[in-house]
Amino acid sequence: GEDVEQSLFLSVREGDSSVINCTYTDSSSTYLYWYKQEPGAGLQLLTYIFSNMDMKQDQRLTVLLNKKDKHLSLRIADTQTGDSAIYFCAENYGGATNKLIFGTGTLLAVQP
Amino acid sequence: DSGVTQTPKHLITATGQRVTLRCSPRSGDLSVYWYQQSLDQGLQFLIQYYNGEERAKGNILERFSAQQFPDLHSELNLSSLELGDSALYFCASSEGLKNIQYFGAGTRLSVL
């Protein structure tokens, strides 16, 4: 089936690390993505990882992929109040289409 | 700025009406995707076009239709609107059939 799961809410203090987790279903996905959505705004592509990689680091962002468990995580180092947003995990569904299957989104609240 | 342009940003209309949402993809991108974001359904894939041709359909109602023009911009037509069609509609584009998708800022549709 098509199901991407995320926890709904995460609260951290400014300066701490945040870890947002996601489980996905399609083992044939080529890419897995993290998008950020601020209130009233669009979807900003934060980062993505190819399915043949285990880890990708991009400045404060670290993505870990465990294909065996179909588990994806996004770590944000030194979390800032500007990181407060909803974070969506997505996989591109395999087969003839490149459609994205999104998780429910995790609301990250950063306390000053 | 993702390079994907959506107009209008906001649309307010009445039940039974018809509206057209417009999307201009990033320069060079051949694929255009439409997604709907609503509180009860989350982010759902509607339809994909590649170089003017429909490639994949998702949870798109029969009252909705889309097309991609020779200049690669796309339009999503929503007709016989119902209250439940109120949502944020996103367009995304990618270079080819299986590449990374970049999203526009969305069109917020309110059906009163």
Side-chain angles (χ1 to χ4, degrees), chain A residues 46-60:
Chain A
L46 268 185
T47 187
Y48 60 90
I49 187 168
F50 288 100
S51 58
N52 63 358
M53 296 169 66
D54 298 324
M55 185 181 91
K56 179 179 179 181
Q57 188 147 3
D58 184 0
Q59 299 183 333
R60 292 189 298 121

Side-chain angles (χ1 to χ4, degrees), chain A residues 16 18 74 93 96 98:
Chain A
D16 287 351
S18 309
L74 173 70
Y93 198 68
N98 193 26

Side-chain angles (χ1 to χ4, degrees), chain A residues 12-55:
Chain A
V12 299
R13 287 198 176 278
E14 195 173 16
D16 287 351
S17 290
S18 309
V19 179
I20 303 172
N21 294 301
C22 166
T23 56
Y24 62 96
T25 54
D26 186 9
S27 57
S28 66
S29 294
T30 311
Y31 303 96
L32 293 128
Y33 301 72
W34 286 102
Y35 287 89
K36 175 183 179 183
Q37 186 176 32
E38 295 181 67
L43 287 167
Q44 175 194 350
L45 177 63
L46 268 185
T47 187
Y48 60 90
I49 187 168
F50 288 100
S51 58
N52 63 358
M53 296 169 66
D54 298 324
M55 185 181 91

Side-chain angles (χ1 to χ4, degrees), chain B:
Chain B
D1 183 5
S2 67
V4 179
T5 305
Q6 288 189 249
T7 56
K9 284 189 166 39
H10 302 278
L11 206 44
I12 302 173
T13 189
T15 54
Q17 294 298 304
R18 172 188 167 93
V19 296
T20 298
L21 282 53
R22 183 188 168 99
C23 170
S24 294
R26 294 186 321 152
S27 177
D29 283 0
L30 297 178
S31 268
V32 169
Y33 312 78
W34 288 96
Y35 293 84
Q36 179 194 59
Q37 185 179 33
S38 62
L39 283 174
D40 54 343
Q41 299 281 342
L43 270 158
Q44 299 263 320
F45 167 74
L46 293 178
I47 197 163
Q48 176 190 1
Y49 278 82
Y50 176 77
N51 204 20
E53 293 193 3
E54 183 186 302
R55 291 292 300 191
K57 259 186 172 176
N59 300 324
I60 187 165
L61 299 171
E62 284 191 14
R63 300 184 284 110
F64 296 1
S65 65
Q67 51 184 328
Q68 186 179 26
F69 294 86
D71 68 351
L72 301 177
H73 91 270
S74 177
E75 292 181 356
L76 179 67
N77 300 297
L78 315 177
S79 62
S80 303
L81 285 166
E82 301 175 0
L83 295 176
D85 297 328
S86 296
L88 195 48
Y89 291 85
F90 286 110
C91 166
S93 73
S94 68
E95 186 180 349
L97 283 169
K98 291 281 189 180
N99 305 92
I100 302 300
Q101 295 181 35
Y102 295 88
F103 281 73
T107 293
R108 184 170 295 281
L109 173 67
S110 299
V111 182
L112 305 179

